């Protein structure tokens, strides 16, 4: 079953879904992802896991409307079902006792850091979480991450809440203050992950990044999610999504992420103008 049992708007164009997928949830671990299709004609969309309710078999995902399919998904209602939700995919985050861990989430990259912070805490680590958003109204998962962490630190780009600046403003201050940091893991926009990695490079702090390149099959067959790590080709869907941040070629990843921007825009504009014609296509096929 892949029924939406709860849905809410976190802020404009960003919705949180709770989906009934007991079998998937029983196997899933922090750091993994799923691939959803809205209907049988639909695009396969990779989504990070934003929460795992093992007791009730409920998966949480957060969808940001950035194109046609995410816009269409965000119009689904409680009681609707996704055609399929495949997973768990990818390797789980390497959870062990590191000592003092810093979990960093930026923008809509904040929800996936939540199960990771929970798992690191459960493994006996001291967890400090840093979350950042452009403004206070765009800040999500404050309560969840406050509960999951020993310490929660917040930044906003415009200074409307918490520290004025980026997540790296807080991280840099911790390093300057000689706080003991044994491991950093971050999820968010590529420029943020690149900036985190540059902040921890010189003090040689082990830093993991969760990469989200374009994906198609999610099983290592198509090559779409190719990234270069330590000079070697890796596939984020099967070798990741977590990698040693100091080894990632972010410039190549940024270029590859922008490969279909024009086509995505045309498709999104058409959707906003004409609506989705997938249901009509399915009707035609079924005739
Ligand atoms: P955003 O642009 O609003 O940035 C969020 C925060 O990230 C900022 O407030 C800031 O603290 C930090 N940040 C951004 N740029 C920075 C820089 N150059 N230096 C230092 N810190 C910086 O984020 P958004 O618009 O919500 O986008 C979130 C992104 O997260 C999307 O690109 C999405 O694809 C990505 N994401 C990634 C994953 C994953 O698995 N890696 C999962 C979900 C979302
Ligand atoms: Fe096809 Fe990773 S998505 S190889």
């Amino acid at each position: 079953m892949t029924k939406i049992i709860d849905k809410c708007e976190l802020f404009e164009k960003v919705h949180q879904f709770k989906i009934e997928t007991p079998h998937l949830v029983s196997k899933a671990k922090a750091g993994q992802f799923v691939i959803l299709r809205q209907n049988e004609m639909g695009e396969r969309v990779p989504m990070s896991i934003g929460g795992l309710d093992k007791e009730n078999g409920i998966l949480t995902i957060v969808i940001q409307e950035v194109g046609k399919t995410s816009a269409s998904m965000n119009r689904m209602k409680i009681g609707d079902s996704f055609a399929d939700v495949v997973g768990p995919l990818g390797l789980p985050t390497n959870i062990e006792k590191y000592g003092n861990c810093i979990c960093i989430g930026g923008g809509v990259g904040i929800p996936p850091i939540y199960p990771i912070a929970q798992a690191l805490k459960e493994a006996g680590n001291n967890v400090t979480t840093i979350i950042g958003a452009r403004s206070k109204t765009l800040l999500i998962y404050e309560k969840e991450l406050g509960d999951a962490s020993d310490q929660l630190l917040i930044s906003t780009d415009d200074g409307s809440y918490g520290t004025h600046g980026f997540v790296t403003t807080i991280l840099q201050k911790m390093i300057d203050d000689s706080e003991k940091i044994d491991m950093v893991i971050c999820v968010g926009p590529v420029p943020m992950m690149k900036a985190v990695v540059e902040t921890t490079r010189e003090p040689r702090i082990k830093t993991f990044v969760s990469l989200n390149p374009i994906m198609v099959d999610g099983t290592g067959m198509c090559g779409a999610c190719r990234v270069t790590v330590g000079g070697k080709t890796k596939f984020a869907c099967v070798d990741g999504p977590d990698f040693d941040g100091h080894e990632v070629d972010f410039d190549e990843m940024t270029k590859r992420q922008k490969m279909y921007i024009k086509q995505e825009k045309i498709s999104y504009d058409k959707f906003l103008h004409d609506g989705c014609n997938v249901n009509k296509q399915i009707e035609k096929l079924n005739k």
Side-chain angles (χ1 to χ4, degrees), residues 125-142:
N125 292 287
N126 185 277
V127 176
T128 293
T129 300
I130 306 174
I131 54 174
R134 273 168 274 144
S135 191
K136 186 180 179 184
T137 50
L138 308 179
L139 189 80
I140 53 178
Y141 276 50
E142 182 180 354

Side-chain angles (χ1 to χ4, degrees), residues 19-74:
I19 308 167
E20 210 168 25
T21 48
H23 187 61
L24 186 155
V25 168
S26 71
K27 309 246 178 228
K29 293 195 171 137
Q32 290 184 292
F33 67 96
V34 299
I35 289 190
L36 301 99
R37 275 193 319 161
Q38 185 178 358
N39 51 50
E40 61 197 88
M41 299 284 287
E43 182 186 3
R44 295 164 60 80
V45 183
M47 288 287 163
S48 301
I49 291 174
L52 291 167
D53 175 353
K54 296 262 179 193
E55 216 172 286
N56 300 302
I58 310 293
L59 167 77
T60 303
I61 53 162
V62 172
I63 303 182
Q64 179 180 35
E65 181 175 324
V66 289
K68 176 195 159 187
T69 302
S70 51
S72 181
M73 284 179 171
N74 272 352

Side-chain angles (χ1 to χ4, degrees), residues 161-286:
Y161 192 48
T163 298
H164 190 172
F166 288 161
V167 287
T168 42
T169 312
I170 297 176
L171 180 64
Q172 185 63 60
K173 172 141 194 342
M174 293 176 81
I175 292 169
D176 292 345
D177 290 348
S178 307
E179 289 198 30
K180 187 176 174 294
I181 303 173
D182 299 300
M183 174 267 212
V184 171
I185 181 159
C186 63
V187 188
V190 173
M192 182 203 92
M193 294 193 282
K194 195 177 167 191
V196 167
V197 160
E198 290 316 319
T199 310
T200 59
R201 192 182 297 280
E202 203 262 329
R204 293 169 180 261
I205 300 167
K206 191 161 201 48
T207 302
F208 296 100
V209 292
S210 173
L211 301 185
N212 64 333
I214 293 169
M215 289 190 185
V216 180
D217 65 309
T219 62
M221 308 266 283
C222 72
C225 67
R226 174 168 69 78
V227 287
T228 303
V229 183
K232 294 195 178 113
T233 294
K234 299 279 174 188
F235 298 110
C237 67
V238 287
D239 300 319
D242 293 357
F243 291 100
D244 177 344
H246 296 136
E247 299 284 330
V248 171
D249 183 341
F250 283 105
D251 294 338
E252 179 196 62
M253 187 179 158
T254 305
K255 261 192 230 149
R256 285 182 63 79
Q257 264 194 330
K258 290 182 181 158
M259 271 168 76
Y260 299 107
I261 270 188
K262 246 193 232 162
Q263 290 86 343
E264 283 165 10
K265 184 164 180 345
I266 292 167
S267 178
Y268 187 28
D269 288 348
K270 200 166 178 298
F271 172 82
L272 294 177
H273 189 259
D274 303 337
C276 183
N277 66 358
V278 163
N279 289 337
K280 285 181 208 151
Q281 288 177 39
I282 292 173
E283 270 171 33
K284 240 194 232 170
L285 281 177
N286 288 340

